[in-house]
Amino acid sequence: MFTLTSSQALSGTGVTFEGVTIQGAKEIYKGYHHTKYVTFKDCQINDMIFLYSPTNFENCVFNSTAEHCVWTYSADEAIFKNCEFTYVDRAINVYGEHAVIAIDVLFENCKFNTENQLSLGAVEINSGMPNTISATVRMNNCTAPQFGEMAFIPRWDSSNGAKT
């Protein structure tokens, strides 16, 4: 098992994790900083992870008791293929900060699960940051959660979804 930290030891590299468990964090900003890209294949990811570079997830299982499973944060691209998300509040926060001006997120053959009847939804899209020009979210052949919306614009998005 790999425990997620805020280390910059992987700065400037591309990283691939295959067949491992990643112990994420319950607090924000934990992820692989300054990497060129990160790929997760056949991994289990527990709690929350922040993305700092283009990231691909393939055949991954997310289990989170944190606020989200993933924040796109400063990654301009995130791809989720054949992934399953089990979450308490929301699965993904599509959110750009710092130098991210356009965010592109793809979900393909993904399944979203929550038992929280008060969940707002699976994919929160917040394109209201001042430097964000656009947030594009594509969903192909995904299974919606029992509670909440598949994707939604939160009330704290200052653009009210205009950039989505």
Side-chain angles (χ1 to χ4, degrees):
M1 178 185 317
F2 289 91
T3 300
L4 191 60
T5 65
S6 288
S7 171
Q8 294 184 18
L10 301 173
S11 185
T13 66
V15 181
T16 299
F17 295 96
E18 188 167 352
V20 298
T21 298
I22 304 290
Q23 180 56 56
K26 292 198 186 289
E27 64 272 6
I28 59 176
Y29 306 118
K30 303 292 184 179
Y32 299 105
H33 297 253
H34 308 290
T35 52
K36 288 184 181 180
Y37 66 86
V38 181
T39 300
F40 296 90
K41 185 174 182 184
D42 301 315
C43 292
Q44 178 173 322
I45 300 165
N46 298 321
D47 290 323
M48 187 168 46
I49 186 171
F50 270 59
L51 307 183
Y52 289 90
S53 60
T55 306
N56 291 315
F57 297 92
E58 184 178 341
N59 301 319
C60 291
V61 175
F62 296 83
N63 294 301
S64 184
T65 58
E67 182 183 37
H68 297 86
C69 299
V70 176
W71 279 47
T72 60
Y73 194 57
S74 64
D76 57 0
E77 178 183 73
I79 299 172
F80 301 88
K81 290 186 178 181
N82 304 310
C83 294
E84 185 168 347
F85 301 87
T86 301
Y87 56 95
V88 175
D89 195 358
R90 294 153 283 176
I92 308 292
N93 187 6
V94 175
Y95 174 88
E97 198 165 299
H98 299 295
V100 175
I101 57 171
I103 308 163
D104 188 18
V105 182
L106 169 65
F107 296 94
E108 192 169 280
N109 300 317
C110 292
K111 184 176 181 180
F112 298 92
N113 305 300
T114 186
E115 294 181 7
N116 180 1
Q117 295 179 8
L118 301 176
S119 173
L120 296 174
V123 180
E124 173 181 358
I125 306 168
N126 184 352
S127 61
M129 295 304 292
N131 61 326
T132 302
I133 294 172
S134 67
T136 302
V137 176
R138 295 171 287 142
M139 296 182 176
N140 299 321
N141 198 34
C142 293
T143 303
Q146 180 178 359
F147 302 107
E149 300 296 323
M150 186 66 158
F152 69 98
I153 307 297
R155 66 183 177 275
W156 43 85
D157 182 333
S158 63
S159 77
N160 201 24
K163 300 177 186 177
T164 301

